[in-house]
Amino acid sequence: MPAKLRLGVFKFASCDGCQLSLLSLEDDLLQLAEKIEVVYFLEATSRIESGPYDLALVEGSITTAADAERILQVRRDSRLLMTIGACATAGGIQSLRNWAHHEDYLRAVYARPDYIQSLATSTPIAAHVRVDFELRGCPVNRWQLLEVLSSLLRGHRPQTPTHSVCLECKRRGTVCVMVAAGTPCLGPITQAGCGALCPAYDRACYGCFGPCGQTNARGWSDYLSSQGTPPLVMIQALRSFSADAAEFRSEGDRLETLSKDTAREEATRE
Amino acid sequence: MKKPHENKPHEEHEKRSIRVEAMTRVEGEGGLEIEVREGRLEKVHLRIFEPPRFFEALLRGRPLEEVPDITARICGICPVAYQMSAVHALEKALGVTVPPELRRLRRLLYCGEWIESHVLHVHMLHLPDFLGFDGVLEMAKVRPEWVQRGLRLRKIGNELLERLGGRAIHPINVAVGGFYRAPRSDELVPLVADFEEGLQLAIESTRQIAQLDFPSFNQPYDWVALVHPEEYPFNEGRIETSDQLAIDPTEFEHHFAEIQVPHSTALHAIRTATGKPYLVGPLARINHARHLLRPTARRLADEIGLETPCTNPYRTILARSLEVVHAIEEGLEILKTYQPPRTSRIAYTPHESHGCAATEAPRGLLYHRYALDDVGKITAASIIPPTSQNQAQIEADLKALIPSLLGLPDEQLATRCEQLVRCYDPCISCSTHFLRVHIRHQ
């Protein structure tokens, strides 16, 4: 029998939810444990072994200088590196600081900001090191996680769908919240993976899985603008749990510049 | 990579420094620093290196409807607690009261989270300490029956969260004013059989856990929890202390504060009246409200001989196990009589206002305060999670424990300290984002 795959689970700025998905695999977790040796997973075990690792699962975004160093070491120690979740793949909700004044943020939360060591940005793992595979979601879908781990164990390249949430709504038979209720929904430009949960609960998709393949973010905002949706609503929808994903970031920035220009024109006209 | 214990050689004057670089089987990342000189304990610091995420700042300017979704992301283990404290605080600001059937659904959702979070801690993170394993995977090889039972129980909690909340981690169905969609009967009723099975499993495991050996170690706690006249505390009640203070949550910030102490850069949560730390969590709740446990849980508490008030932190695993029994029992009652409510959400009109609320997260009292502008955007937010309130008490416990352990080699001493910290089920991911933790400049 071949040696077990040595797995490390590493956490950066995050909520612990994606690594918890691993523990939530329940019965499959024990079967997986027969093929995988978990040698670094602080949340789950006091067993701590140094690298090399066959596979590193990385949760969280890079927000401190120390973490920017630590991820380099994780990369050096790992044959394959897979990011899990929206923080690691798209900066997470904490990347809202990328559009704010960092000093203001520090002062808003901490009485003594000088004790806090933190970068002015929250960036995805891929902005720092080579990433072999990204698993989306806030949180990740645990069945996708299982699927990906099983593929890697078999030596296959994992496949996760990149189509939009809309397709899942249609498959599920959910009435479209945008067409039927006029609710601005991120579904048309968000990657599937959650099972189109929110529309099935009578609310708009808010983008947990980040931009889908061939995202037409411009088409999305043009349509919503034509329906009278204010720019700020669209900007805040794009700047949320996957705020630092390229397609969401650039469309949000374009809308912001546009609305500033419009405001300036109106001011000069008056 | 990081080593768990880096022991420096004993220096002159018998100075001993023990560092636990990375505590394991806790949520989030933290360590311990202990310094002993000439046989006397000089310093104990619970060190937190979890990076801050600035939730209170990033909430400003966001619409109030997003608050339950955003604050859920503070913690993947107890997102419902954040959602509950958030919606109750915002509803106070908006002057909204939810009808009894929605209130019951919220209690049901909280039951799901207590089951999921407590079972994770009891069976997967904490039991390995009592049974002598590194973690749950190692334990599964030798004691599969313990692990299988834990996994089954956790699945029951998660299934409830999935059906009622949409998913177990970061549920999507919690709205200000109620729920986005009330579940149909056929979505919830199938859970009755699972909960009946779960109740037996939870009783059985609580009995077995009660047979474990608990170190005798009692602390002069000031236990603080929500107290409700008729129900075991979840979402409502007055905040009570062990010395009879009983206040409305709106007065929380007058009676509890975070202060800077001379020996440390960490701010410590204290009672303003006494200047001393206090305890929140399962032990605090059961000390206040044992008589309000559902009948099976209450009888089980008597049967296993849990003394209340209980002041032994190692026995918190019993309080946590009894709360699992309670949550399954109460959940079962709600599920058995469930009828979809006529309306899932109460409408409101935003106006300039502010509101606060406290609810009982699995780890203890969770306080939120928000201010809104006239269109319903957040202008200020303040969040005080349970682990940041417990931090000073954890350090006080360690100070009391360590003198009795000084004869042990460093590694064993560190392990014993880590085990004490683990009794609190600390959630460092939660605490750091608000807590004015000390991240030292080297």
Side-chain angles (χ1 to χ4, degrees), chain B residues 33-290:
Chain B
E33 273 177 17
I34 300 158
E35 273 179 28
V36 179
R37 192 187 290 270
E38 289 166 1
R40 280 186 47 198
L41 177 65
E42 282 206 331
K43 187 181 91 174
V44 182
H45 282 171
L46 188 60
R47 216 164 53 86
I48 289 176
F49 45 83
E50 180 85 21
R53 289 162 72 211
F54 305 107
F55 276 89
E56 288 153 313
L58 65 83
L59 281 165
R60 291 180 310 186
R62 304 294 294 203
L64 70 94
E65 287 76 14
E66 289 185 352
V67 177
D69 297 323
I70 291 178
T71 55
R73 267 64 182 189
I74 292 166
C75 179
I77 328 287
C78 58
V80 170
Y82 283 89
Q83 296 186 325
M84 288 296 117
S85 284
V87 295
H88 283 90
L90 291 166
E91 286 161 10
K92 282 270 189 268
L94 296 163
V96 169
T97 311
V98 303
E101 60 268 29
L102 293 181
R103 189 178 178 278
R104 268 161 71 83
L105 265 187
R106 283 183 171 170
R107 282 188 76 85
L108 183 62
L109 189 70
Y110 232 145
C111 286
E113 176 153 293
W114 276 30
I115 299 167
E116 168 272 320
S117 172
H118 276 356
V119 171
L120 172 73
H121 191 260
V122 170
H123 292 260
M124 301 172 86
L125 308 184
H126 204 186
L127 264 179
D129 278 347
F130 288 93
L131 300 176
F133 296 98
D134 278 343
V136 67
L137 294 174
E138 293 78 7
M139 196 165 94
K141 291 172 197 154
V142 188
R143 306 294 287 269
E145 71 289 355
W146 281 87
V147 177
Q148 295 286 2
R149 192 165 51 196
L151 290 174
R152 177 74 189 117
L153 276 169
R154 188 142 187 277
K155 193 173 186 167
I156 288 166
N158 277 340
E159 272 187 0
L160 171 58
L161 291 168
E162 283 167 16
R163 283 166 186 252
L164 177 54
R167 62 185 170 202
I169 303 169
H170 308 328
I172 51 87
N173 198 13
V174 174
V176 178
F179 290 87
Y180 285 97
R181 174 171 76 74
R184 301 181 306 269
S185 297
D186 67 312
E187 288 175 299
L188 288 188
V189 172
L191 290 174
V192 167
D194 294 324
F195 269 62
E196 279 169 343
E197 179 203 342
L199 186 58
Q200 294 315 311
L201 290 176
I203 293 168
E204 200 181 286
S205 65
T206 307
R207 283 188 180 129
Q208 268 182 300
I209 290 167
Q211 303 298 317
L212 299 170
D213 282 330
F214 299 94
S216 65
F217 175 75
N218 290 282
Q219 280 286 87
Y221 289 132
D222 180 2
W223 50 89
V224 175
L226 272 186
V227 176
H228 187 274
E230 285 147 29
E231 296 164 330
Y232 203 74
F234 274 140
N235 281 330
E236 277 169 48
R238 292 165 74 77
I239 297 169
E240 294 196 12
T241 67
S242 48
D243 60 359
Q244 317 290 316
L245 176 78
I247 56 160
D248 188 83
T250 50
E251 297 170 67
F252 178 80
E253 290 174 65
H254 300 300
H255 295 274
F256 300 88
E258 286 178 310
I259 58 141
Q260 203 151 13
V261 289
H263 70 268
S264 153
T265 52
L267 287 174
H268 285 198
I270 51 145
R271 288 271 308 279
T272 44
T274 59
K276 296 210 169 111
Y278 59 95
L279 174 81
V280 299
L283 217 51
R285 285 191 292 255
I286 212 157
N287 282 348
H288 276 295
R290 176 186 186 143

Side-chain angles (χ1 to χ4, degrees), chain B residues 237 377 411:
Chain B
K377 295 229 187 302
E411 188 151 343

Side-chain angles (χ1 to χ4, degrees), chain A residues 16 26 62 100-101 122 124 139 167 196 232 237:
Chain A
D16 270 39
E26 290 147 6
I62 302 299
H101 194 250
S122 165
L167 209 64
L232 184 62

Side-chain angles (χ1 to χ4, degrees), chain A residues 91-194:
Chain A
I93 189 74
Q94 60 271 20
S95 62
L96 290 185
R97 80 175 71 173
N98 301 358
W99 287 271
H101 194 250
H102 190 50
E103 279 293 305
D104 291 347
Y105 263 40
L106 278 169
R107 277 174 217 293
V109 182
Y110 292 95
R112 292 291 307 264
D114 48 322
Y115 294 154
I116 304 300
Q117 294 172 337
S118 166
L119 296 173
T121 54
S122 165
T123 43
I125 300 300
H128 298 264
V129 296
R130 183 171 53 81
V131 170
D132 297 297
F133 191 77
E134 292 189 329
L135 191 62
R136 305 275 195 87
C138 182
V140 294
N141 174 324
R142 67 180 196 268
W143 305 121
Q144 279 194 351
L145 179 62
L146 182 63
E147 161 80 24
V148 166
L149 289 175
S150 313
S151 297
L152 291 173
L153 278 173
R154 291 195 304 269
H156 297 171
R157 183 163 180 79
Q159 296 283 340
T160 47
T162 59
H163 59 250
S164 74
V165 170
C166 289
L167 209 64
E168 291 194 327
C169 265
K170 301 295 168 285
R171 195 177 280 155
R172 223 179 141 139
T174 304
V175 174
C176 179
V177 295
M178 197 130 95
V179 172
T183 316
C185 177
L186 266 178
I189 55 170
T190 296
Q191 183 170 301
C194 60

